[in-house]
Amino acid sequence: MHGRTPQQHCIGPWRTITWKVLMDIDNVALSRKRRRAWLGALALWLGLAAVTTSALWQLRRDTLESQSRELDLLSLTLTDGIDRGLRGVDEGLHALSDELQEGRLTLSDIQTGQTLGMRVDLMPLVQTLWLVNAQGQVMAASDDTPAPALASFHPAPGSLDEDAVSLSLPFSGAEADESLVAMAVPYRGVTGGNGWIVASMPTDDLLGAFGVGMPLEDTRAWVFRGDGARLVGVNTLDITLSDAAVVQRLANRPGIELRSYQDGSDHLVALTGVPRYRAQVMVSRDLNSVLRSWRQAAEVASAALVLLMISMAVAVRFVRLADRRRAESRRALEAQASRTTRLESLGTLAGSVAHDFNNVLAGIVGFGEMAQDAAPPGSAQARHIDKVLQAALRGKLLVERILAFSRAGAKASSVFELEPVIEEVLTLLSASMRPGTVLERAFEAPGARLRGDATQVFEAVMNLCTNALQAMPRGGTLAVRVAREPVTRPRILSHGQLAVGEHLLVAVSDQGTGISPEVTEHLFEPFFTTRAAQSGTGLGLAVVFGVVTEFGGAIDVQNRSARGARFSLYFPECKDALPASGHDGPTARTGQGQRLLVIDDEPELVAMTVEMLTGLGYTPVGHTDPDAALQALQDDPQAFAAVITDEVMPGLTGTQFTQRLRPLAPDLPVLLVSGYGGALLAQRASAAGVTRVMGKPLQRDQLAQALAELLA
């Protein structure tokens, strides 16, 4: 630190006053007795000043120690989140490397980019995958985003061991304001080719929830590579790149230190390491903010020792306010961890339920499509079956929305116009509105586009409008507005933070009774509802929050007392062009009598799948016992052209079954079908030798197309 010490700060002004008092005493030639009285009073005054200074110094030390502990806890929490995120990408890349090295996946299989695109869908943090050869040339990629130069990685990719990883410098993505960082792992093909598998991740995702908003406004966070290069930061725009030098000085002794930046400001700095990835996480707070309460107390104490007791009371008050703010911040972190735990529990529950529910839907869809073929075209029976299939597909969408909380399902992503989606919602609602309800629409963003899943936006706006109508049982005005909302500086909303950039606003307002503060606190929690059990599941607003978060947006809830509520959804606007109109592709190819082995523990699903495959021109053989199916393969490994197996079965799972058949039939295609997917299932399936993973319920065209590709 620079400048005077705290003791000098407090005593310095009084030293001048003391000498002035002594000079006045000498000038008036006070008597020795009076002088002794003055000296006694002065000594007492200096003693009080010393006590005050000592107390303030101790208070300052306690404040710094408390802030140091809190900063250390925050740094460890952030480091743990970054380590878990990078480890997930690391495991996915090494699983792909193992496939290439063991020959289960060849370069020709992935040069089209389709396989890499499927892996990207199963890895939540990954945005793009590249396969780069030893000369640094891109051999395959999941999309058109340019790959980062190998020279930007540290450690150098050429020096990596087989199980090591390397991180790149940040680079720009497809969008102008998009910042990415890449991870590279080495691979070696069975034919002698070698190179690196590279995956890009948005830098903001490395920070997780801390990228949306730090617990305290003056908190800053950085993530550095092992060589001191900065990967990402929060609230760091006014801090120079001398942070890298701080990391180099502290790298060998992580902990808490007090450092001075080049702009002259002092900061409390906590540094923790992520050893596996040679990364350092640094979190700091401005010392002026940390000691603001203490400085106020010191100034009050310095103003007049006569008011010592009052000034100390004020100091205690400020300290208590600071403690309360720290306690509120700590409670916010605990609440965030609690919400995360609740969402993880919901994901676990969804995974256990989804398999059985999707089995039911699979039977409905499969037998429904076959019944549709047998129904006379245009008949009432055909129309009824169409409605059944539509209901089953809506059930499939419901399961996908639930699985969205656990990040277990692949999501569609394309560029689409926003206003037609909102118009479709309002058209459906207008036919079922109560008498006395007025619908007002204001579309002020023609041609505005988003990138993502249009179905998710449709569902989010439909949920908000439905809630708004239910909040007005006696009628009222439902207002829906779509507009462009430029954000010139970061904004904190009731539920999220808006970054600088172009955003699209979708506002839904009603004239109901409003929302109480108690309800507002739990508004977006899954399964929280204020209605009767038969009137709602409590998933509607939770789905809205999940959709907006997935798009990278934020929500602002305004409660207008007895005049209703207003929900404002903000989405980052997409400037990309709309995709060209697609043409109907060729119909799925039918089989030519190939024998297929079908395995599922549900007899009804086995019967349905066998009948469906027979209609597609195949010769299926169904089994409900995985052990019996494995025995059939052992008796004649060449008897079957492909295997279709469920994942969750008693005895042997689908991946375990695949592991056991591989020594018998190394090249036999295996299609794994499951009602609950995600990155973990993909890793298990890849390790077991599964050829392709598909989600239940399967439609006939999807199954036919997948088999045609596997058997081609």
Side-chain angles (χ1 to χ4, degrees):
M1 294 181 60
H2 303 287
R4 295 181 293 177
T5 65
Q7 294 93 331
Q8 292 171 330
H9 179 79
C10 297
I11 297 178
W14 303 113
R15 181 177 297 166
T16 303
I17 298 175
T18 301
W19 282 109
K20 187 176 185 301
V21 171
L22 292 175
M23 290 295 295
D24 291 339
I25 294 175
D26 290 337
N27 290 336
V28 298
L30 293 176
S31 64
R32 185 184 298 259
K33 185 176 180 180
R34 191 173 181 182
R35 183 176 298 178
R36 288 178 179 176
W38 274 104
L39 290 175
L42 180 60
L44 178 61
W45 182 83
L46 290 175
L48 291 175
V51 170
T52 302
T53 302
S54 177
L56 288 173
W57 176 246
Q58 181 64 35
L59 183 61
R60 178 186 186 277
R61 214 170 66 180
D62 292 344
T63 301
L64 286 177
E65 289 177 356
S66 175
Q67 285 295 320
S68 297
R69 289 192 298 269
E70 184 174 342
L71 202 63
D72 190 37
L73 175 62
L74 183 63
S75 176
L76 290 173
T77 303
L78 179 57
T79 301
D80 180 66
I82 292 172
D83 181 72
R84 284 189 283 108
L86 291 178
R87 192 171 295 276
V89 178
D90 182 0
E91 293 174 354
L93 294 183
H94 276 96
L96 185 58
S97 175
D98 291 342
E99 290 185 70
L100 288 169
Q101 186 168 346
E102 296 171 7
R104 291 183 281 108
L105 187 65
T106 64
L107 297 182
S108 60
D109 292 334
I110 62 175
Q111 282 180 343
T112 61
Q114 182 179 6
T115 299
L116 294 181
M118 293 173 60
R119 296 303 171 86
V120 169
D121 292 337
L122 298 175
M123 300 170 70
L125 284 182
V126 175
Q127 182 166 308
T128 306
L129 279 174
W130 298 276
L131 196 65
V132 181
N133 63 15
Q135 289 73 38
Q137 298 174 335
V138 176
M139 303 171 61
S142 60
D143 58 36
D144 296 333
T145 304
L150 292 179
S152 67
F153 284 84
H154 179 82
S159 64
L160 291 181
D161 297 331
E162 290 187 0
D163 62 342
V165 300
S166 179
L167 296 177
S168 74
L169 293 172
F171 61 97
S172 299
E175 300 181 8
D177 58 348
E178 184 180 38
S179 178
L180 304 174
V181 66
M183 177 185 291
V185 302
Y187 78 89
R188 186 175 300 278
V190 293
T191 60
N194 57 79
W196 296 274
I197 304 172
V198 182
S200 70
M201 302 162 283
T203 55
D204 291 342
D205 288 355
L206 287 178
L207 297 175
F210 291 91
V212 178
M214 298 299 289
L216 296 171
E217 292 182 359
D218 60 294
T219 306
R220 299 181 174 94
W222 301 262
V223 181
F224 295 93
R225 288 192 323 191
D227 62 347
R230 192 172 79 179
L231 300 180
V232 65
V234 177
N235 297 338
T236 60
L237 295 179
D238 58 339
I239 298 300
T240 67
L241 290 180
S242 62
D243 306 327
V246 176
V247 172
Q248 293 295 334
R249 290 196 299 270
L250 299 180
N252 295 326
R253 41 191 174 90
I256 303 293
E257 282 205 8
L258 193 61
R259 310 301 302 181
S260 295
Y261 286 105
Q262 289 183 353
D263 59 1
S265 62
D266 294 327
H267 283 251
L268 200 61
V269 177
L271 186 75
T272 53
V274 188
R276 164 68 179 168
Y277 307 102
R278 302 179 180 88
Q280 299 288 337
V281 177
M282 188 170 71
V283 182
S284 76
R285 282 200 65 193
D286 182 83
L287 190 61
N288 289 328
S289 299
V290 172
L291 297 177
R292 183 179 294 117
S293 299
W294 178 85
R295 292 185 189 280
Q296 292 172 346
E299 290 173 359
V300 171
S302 303
L305 282 176
V306 176
L307 302 177
L308 179 61
M309 296 303 298
I310 299 176
S311 61
M312 290 300 297
V314 173
V316 170
R317 176 177 179 274
F318 282 129
V319 172
R320 286 180 178 176
L321 289 177
D323 289 339
R324 185 182 303 171
R325 286 195 293 269
R326 290 195 295 272
E328 291 174 353
S329 174
R330 189 178 298 107
R331 285 195 295 270
L333 286 174
E334 293 172 353
Q336 185 182 70
S338 176
R339 286 193 295 271
T340 301
T341 302
R342 289 198 299 270
L343 292 179
E344 290 176 352
S345 300
L346 176 60
T348 303
L349 174 64
S352 62
V353 172
H355 176 260
D356 292 336
F357 189 63
N358 274 324
N359 280 344
V360 176
L361 292 178
I364 296 173
V365 172
F367 286 115
E369 288 184 331
M370 288 185 285
Q372 191 179 45
D373 292 340
S379 65
Q381 181 183 5
R383 292 195 303 273
H384 296 164
I385 294 175
D386 287 341
K387 295 296 183 182
V388 171
L389 290 175
Q390 291 174 8
L393 294 178
R394 285 199 299 271
K396 177 183 177 182
L397 291 176
L398 176 60
V399 174
E400 291 176 351
R401 296 285 79 80
I402 296 176
L403 292 178
F405 291 110
S406 59
R407 299 181 181 180
K411 304 172 181 64
S413 180
S414 61
V415 179
F416 63 93
E417 286 195 12
L418 176 60
E419 288 191 352
V421 176
I422 309 302
E423 182 64 42
E424 184 179 358
V425 173
L426 300 183
T427 301
L428 290 175
L429 286 174
S430 60
S432 58
M433 289 195 305
R434 298 186 183 93
T437 302
V438 178
L439 176 61
E440 291 184 356
R441 65 188 75 190
F443 289 176
E444 304 169 7
R449 298 182 294 275
L450 296 177
R451 175 178 288 279
D453 189 349
T455 304
Q456 290 186 314
V457 176
F458 177 93
E459 184 172 356
V461 178
M462 176 65 80
N463 278 326
L464 286 181
C465 292
T466 302
N467 284 352
L469 292 175
Q470 292 175 347
M472 301 184 296
R474 299 181 181 179
T477 300
L478 171 63
V480 180
R481 177 173 177 251
V482 182
R484 286 184 169 89
E485 189 84 6
V487 178
T488 56
R489 58 182 180 179
R491 291 167 52 184
I492 303 296
L493 305 182
S494 65
H495 294 80
Q497 180 178 7
L498 281 184
V500 175
E502 298 292 331
H503 290 76
L504 298 180
L505 165 67
V506 179
V508 178
S509 307
D510 62 66
Q511 293 181 331
T513 57
I515 307 173
S516 67
E518 294 79 9
V519 174
T520 303
E521 179 67 23
H522 304 281
L523 200 58
F524 294 104
E525 291 183 2
F527 300 118
F528 175 78
T529 177
T530 57
R531 307 176 199 158
Q534 67 273 16
S535 301
T537 63
L539 278 173
L541 289 179
V543 168
V544 172
F545 183 78
V547 169
V548 175
T549 302
E550 185 175 327
F551 272 79
I555 304 176
D556 193 30
V557 181
Q558 297 177 353
N559 188 21
R560 301 179 295 177
S561 185
R563 296 187 295 115
R566 173 187 172 97
F567 287 76
S568 299
L569 311 184
Y570 292 87
F571 300 93
E573 184 175 4
C574 177
K575 299 297 184 179
D576 297 342
L578 292 171
S581 300
H583 300 285
D584 294 337
T587 57
R589 294 166 53 186
T590 57
Q592 299 178 356
Q594 297 98 322
R595 294 189 70 197
L596 305 179
L597 182 60
V598 179
I599 312 163
D600 198 303
D601 61 317
E602 296 283 347
E604 295 82 0
L605 292 184
V606 172
M608 181 270 295
T609 306
V610 166
E611 186 174 349
M612 181 184 295
L613 292 173
T614 302
L616 290 174
Y618 296 98
T619 305
V621 177
H623 285 277
T624 57
D625 184 3
D627 291 325
L630 190 61
Q631 184 61 47
L633 277 171
Q634 290 176 344
D635 294 341
D636 188 359
Q638 306 299 324
F640 299 99
V643 175
I644 303 174
T645 177
D646 188 22
E647 166 62 9
V648 182
M649 297 183 294
L652 288 177
T653 65
T655 51
Q656 292 171 343
F657 178 85
T658 305
Q659 285 178 327
R660 295 194 181 184
L661 73 83
R662 277 303 169 220
L664 304 173
D667 300 325
L668 183 64
V670 177
L671 177 62
L672 182 68
V673 182
S674 176
Y676 181 65
L680 294 179
L681 175 60
Q683 292 174 6
R684 293 200 309 271
S686 175
V690 172
T691 310
R692 178 174 296 187
V693 180
M694 299 187 71
K696 287 184 179 180
L698 282 178
Q699 293 180 265
R700 180 174 49 191
D701 290 345
Q702 294 174 334
L703 181 59
Q705 185 65 37
L707 287 174
E709 294 174 358
L710 289 180
L711 299 176

